[in-house]
Amino acid sequence: MASGDDMDRDQDRSGGDAEVPQTSAAVDPKIAAAVAAAEAAGPGPGETVRIDSWIWAVRLVKTRSVGATACRGGHVRVNGERVKPAHAVRVGDEVRLRGEGRERIVVVTRLIRKRVGAPVAAQCYIDNSPPPPPREAVAPIGVRDRGAGRPTKRDRRELERLRDLGGLDGPSGPAGRPRDD
């Protein structure tokens, strides 16, 4: 049986009461076990986590080196300031990550060092990002299917007509030269 001092020390290590808010739906035991493992692998009291490591661990970037490159390129901001890859992140920080055609805005709720599964990673931050743009708006005009082969003369002319309608090169063609039709 643990004494009151032991319980106080355990609460101090976890950063306060370690109770998980109960929802109406039951928590999956696998997710609960993964959350416990992530907390055990997390930093101790007074320790910090690098920003490049954290954005990789919570699956905002695919690799840690991509996270470090994004930091060096100025695509990562913590509380509005551009940061280097070794910047220490804390609970409550707002992280803005620009990449993949959109900006992600997240608030740190838990520090982890090791990469975890997506359901556990989603519990480590609050996502305040705007919704991604619809896929139809992102698709460029006149793109051929992969593996469709070389375009025929007819296909090429149709693509050029689409480009003329879209105003990409103008009616006279690229660099102001008239087209040979």
Side-chain angles (χ1 to χ4, degrees):
M1 177 128 188
S3 68
D5 292 336
D6 291 337
M7 289 172 43
D8 290 341
R9 215 172 322 142
D10 289 340
Q11 287 179 352
D12 289 341
R13 277 192 207 123
S14 65
D17 292 333
E19 292 183 26
V20 176
Q22 296 294 323
T23 58
S24 60
V27 177
D28 186 14
K30 289 182 182 179
I31 294 175
V35 168
E39 286 177 355
E47 293 182 24
T48 59
V49 177
R50 291 171 54 114
I51 185 66
D52 63 340
S53 178
W54 186 81
I55 62 176
W56 165 75
V58 296
R59 297 177 171 264
L60 294 177
V61 293
K62 289 189 179 188
T63 65
R64 183 172 170 193
S65 63
V66 169
T69 304
C71 290
R72 277 188 235 107
H75 300 291
V76 178
R77 293 179 179 265
V78 176
N79 297 326
E81 295 181 19
R82 290 172 61 171
V83 295
K84 294 182 177 179
H87 181 82
V89 68
R90 296 175 192 81
V91 173
D93 284 349
E94 180 189 67
V95 177
R96 290 176 175 257
L97 174 69
R98 203 174 66 230
E100 299 177 3
R102 63 182 285 213
E103 184 176 27
R104 300 286 308 265
I105 304 168
V106 297
V107 177
V108 179
T109 58
R110 179 180 294 148
L111 297 177
I112 59 173
R113 279 202 178 110
K114 297 191 176 189
R115 193 166 172 100
V116 293
V120 178
Q123 295 178 355
C124 295
Y125 60 86
I126 300 170
D127 195 354
N128 296 331
S129 305
R135 290 188 179 236
E136 296 80 32
V138 176
I141 298 174
V143 174
R144 292 179 51 84
D145 292 332
R146 186 180 178 111
R150 187 171 173 174
T152 63
K153 195 170 195 176
R154 180 180 178 190
D155 292 338
R156 183 183 55 82
R157 286 181 176 163
E158 288 176 358
L159 285 173
E160 287 176 355
R161 262 189 232 110
L162 280 174
R163 288 187 181 118
D164 285 345
L165 292 175
L168 296 177
D169 292 327
S172 62
R177 292 187 310 264
R179 289 219 167 101
D180 300 332
D181 278 339

